[in-house]
Amino acid sequence: MSSATSPPAPVTTRQSLTTDPGYQAYWILRVGFTVAPVLFGLDKFANVLVDWPGYLAPWINDIVPGSAQGAMYAVGAIEIVAGLVVAVAPRFGGWLVAGWLAGIIVNLLTIPDYYDIALRDFGLLLGAVALARLAQRYHGAGAR
């Protein structure tokens, strides 16, 4: 009499969240890149955290229609949408946020004394790329 071994039970998403470091990293990045763009986008309308128009390079202000604050309203709306895209489609949203951060970096590198913020945003860009790559593995397929 032969005994057939059954395959191991699949690991549930909840188990993976507590045991798989890659899946944990994916969720940390996904939540972070959902919440941060939405909050910073909303603040573009209120200027509570900082005077956002001061972060707009003069050459960009010259080519966008309207005022610098008006441009920040558009930036805020785009950031909110980007955060929501990360929430529902992180494989695409990670790349969207990375591209958006690349644009912010170009803007900041053309303003004197903002190089430290550009460097920080480069680190965020790397995190967004890492999210997109991790989402390729974890989003939609369940935890492995």
Side-chain angles (χ1 to χ4, degrees), residues 55 108-109 111-122:
Y55 287 86
L108 291 171
L109 288 175
I111 306 172
D113 299 326
Y114 285 86
Y115 306 126
D116 57 334
I117 300 170
L119 181 60
R120 178 211 56 201
D121 285 353
F122 180 70

Side-chain angles (χ1 to χ4, degrees), residues 52-88:
W52 290 107
Y55 287 86
L56 187 64
W59 68 272
I60 295 177
N61 191 31
D62 290 343
I63 62 174
V64 297
S67 67
Q69 183 59 55
M72 287 298 115
Y73 293 150
V75 167
I78 292 167
E79 288 175 345
I80 292 166
V81 168
L84 296 175
V85 170
V86 168
V88 297

Side-chain angles (χ1 to χ4, degrees), residues 25-39:
Y26 162 70
W27 271 104
I28 290 167
L29 291 169
R30 186 173 179 185
V31 170
F33 282 109
T34 295
V35 172
V38 170
L39 289 179

